[in-house]
Amino acid sequence: GQVDGVFITTTGVGEILEGVETSGAKACPGDAIIVTGDVGRHGCTILLARDDFGIEAEVTSDCAPLWGTVESILEVTKDVHVIRDATRGGVGTVLYEIAGQSNVGISLDAAAVPVQPEVRGVCGMLGLEPLYLACEGRLVIFAPKEHAQAIVDQLKKGKYSAEAAIIGEVTADHAGRVVMTTEI
């Protein structure tokens, strides 16, 4: 009786491939940061399902299987440094954790981060940042800049990654911190 009919279960199933070694500690200055689609949608959907805010918006969860997306990335290159699921804490938390694990700085371009207008509207009304809302079907990828556009082009062909985008880069500046350039 403590929850109201909403239960979420996630299960990770994948494969360890020869020649692929990713870790949150492997981000390098010069890496591009890629997301596989719009951010914040799952967390926004859960907030609206609770119906505590009296907000109506056409937002659906981004739940999606991730292994096929990973396979498509590795078809382009196995030179990928980090692949991380953005469910817990959203993209913002994932980036902060990786900056600390790799002792690097992360610079984001706010204009490049894909966010659905409905999610942006709900977040604006509630004072939330979409980067810190859960993404159930999204990955954050760190790869050398020279492979980034080819990875995004491949991802855009996928059913669950058509809104993939490069949202920033890894720097040697401001180690352990995430900095975002905004329109201001």
Side-chain angles (χ1 to χ4, degrees), residues 47-55:
L47 284 171
L48 293 177
R50 292 180 180 158
D51 203 26
D52 293 340
F53 303 107
I55 299 172

Side-chain angles (χ1 to χ4, degrees), residues 99 104-107 171-179:
V104 296
I106 293 178
S107 294
T171 71
D173 302 330
H174 55 269
R177 295 182 47 209
V178 178
V179 176

Side-chain angles (χ1 to χ4, degrees), residues 54-109:
I55 299 172
E56 290 187 29
E58 291 294 320
V59 182
T60 58
S61 175
D62 61 16
C63 286
L66 298 174
W67 178 239
T69 302
V70 171
E71 283 182 312
S72 73
I73 295 163
L74 299 177
E75 287 174 13
V76 174
T77 182
K78 290 186 178 183
D79 189 12
V80 177
H81 298 153
V82 180
I83 302 175
R84 187 70 63 84
D85 171 354
T87 300
R88 187 185 47 78
V91 172
T93 299
V94 166
L95 295 175
Y96 179 74
E97 289 172 350
I98 293 166
Q101 290 168 350
S102 293
N103 197 34
V104 296
I106 293 178
S107 294
L108 298 181
D109 176 5

Side-chain angles (χ1 to χ4, degrees), residues 35-48:
V35 291
T36 59
D38 61 294
V39 302
R41 194 157 33 108
H42 179 74
C44 186
T45 301
I46 298 303
L47 284 171
L48 293 177

